[in-house]
């Protein structure tokens, strides 16, 4: 029987060795095992607790102040850059508009002089300037002189033109006082 026990022991040892070899050599501990081990070590005083970082009111107030300062500086810089761009654009547009307006005045002045030349040629051929043409030419000249005086108040040429119109109006008023004509208005 001893032989039989030895045979069973050897068979058992071989099975046990085979099962042991089938097991993994390393195995990662589960999360629960790790937590229990850490808790047991802390209870025994072998492991210190991690300091819990909490943000206090001072830290919170500082971060809010920094956020507001960053936002405000962004707004100020943005407005400054926007204002600079808007100013440069307005200057460029006004210079462009001034050039365009000056060119328009040049064209209108040339057209005015050409029309006066045509009117003068008509008066040469028809023995006299038509009254309506003369009146329109003088009204345009008077309005232009007034605008030049508004732009440049001390302009001597425009001032002299306006003084000439004033003298002509005064002479016309004196003429009407000396020679009252009966005016009939037909409706």
């Amino acid at each position: 029987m001893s032989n039989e026990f030895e045979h069973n022991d050897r068979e058992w040892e071989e099975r046990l060795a085979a099962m042991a070899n089938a097991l993994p050599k390393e195995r990662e501990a589960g999360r629960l095992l790790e937590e229990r081990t850490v808790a047991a070590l802390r209870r025994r005083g072998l492991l210190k607790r991690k300091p819990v970082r909490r943000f206090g009111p001072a830290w919170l107030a500082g971060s809010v102040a920094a956020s507001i300062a960053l936002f405000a500086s962004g707004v100020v810089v943005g407005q400054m850059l926007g204002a600079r761009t808007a100013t440069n654009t307005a200057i460029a547009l006004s210079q462009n508009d001034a050039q365009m307006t000056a060119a328009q005045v040049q064209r209108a002045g040339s057209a005015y002089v050409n029309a006066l030349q045509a009117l003068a040629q008509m008066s040469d051929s028809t023995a006299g300037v038509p009254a309506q043409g003369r009146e329109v030419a003088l009204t345009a000249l008077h309005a232009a002189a007034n605008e030049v005086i508004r732009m440049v108040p001390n302009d001597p040429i425009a001032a002299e033109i306006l003084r000439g119109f004033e003298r002509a109006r005064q002479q016309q008023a004196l003429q009407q006082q000396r020679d009252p004509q009966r005016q009939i208005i037909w409706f």
Side-chain angles (χ1 to χ4, degrees):
M1 262 222 219
S2 86
N3 206 3
E4 191 176 310
F5 283 120
E6 283 179 21
H7 179 57
N8 281 342
D9 281 344
R10 217 178 309 138
E11 192 177 305
W12 176 249
E13 284 178 12
E14 288 174 4
R15 278 180 57 196
L16 188 59
M19 285 193 291
N21 287 334
L23 288 174
K25 301 293 181 210
E26 290 182 13
R27 185 166 182 207
E28 192 168 323
R31 184 86 178 134
L32 182 61
L33 176 63
E34 182 181 342
E35 288 176 8
R36 286 191 336 214
T37 306
V38 169
L41 291 172
R42 282 192 181 136
R43 274 193 307 267
R44 292 182 184 167
L46 298 173
L47 192 61
K48 292 184 181 179
R49 294 195 181 272
K50 276 194 217 176
V52 178
R53 289 190 179 185
R54 293 201 175 143
F55 302 114
W59 188 89
L60 184 62
S63 63
V64 168
S67 298
I68 290 172
L70 182 63
F71 176 76
S73 64
V75 168
V76 168
V77 168
Q79 285 186 349
M80 185 179 68
L81 292 175
R84 184 184 316 159
T85 302
T87 302
N88 290 342
T89 302
I91 288 170
L93 286 176
S94 67
Q95 288 174 349
N96 196 15
D97 285 348
Q99 291 171 350
M100 289 174 55
T101 304
Q104 186 177 4
V105 168
Q106 175 67 39
R107 286 191 300 273
S110 297
Y112 176 71
V113 169
N114 289 339
L116 287 177
Q117 287 173 348
L119 192 61
Q121 287 176 356
M122 283 182 170
S123 67
D124 289 345
S125 64
T126 60
V129 175
Q132 182 182 8
R134 180 180 181 275
E135 183 179 333
V136 169
L138 290 175
T139 302
L141 179 62
H142 186 264
N146 273 326
E147 290 302 317
V148 170
I149 287 294
R150 272 187 45 210
M151 285 188 312
V152 186
N154 297 327
D155 185 69
I157 297 171
E160 191 59 37
I161 291 172
L162 290 176
R163 277 194 287 274
F165 276 110
E166 185 60 28
R167 282 192 301 268
R169 189 186 64 74
Q170 288 173 353
Q171 286 176 355
Q172 199 174 34
L174 285 175
Q175 182 73 22
Q176 285 180 352
Q177 285 176 356
R178 277 190 242 142
D179 206 19
Q181 291 182 357
R182 189 170 158 189
Q183 294 181 353
I184 300 174
I185 300 174
W186 298 90
F187 294 96

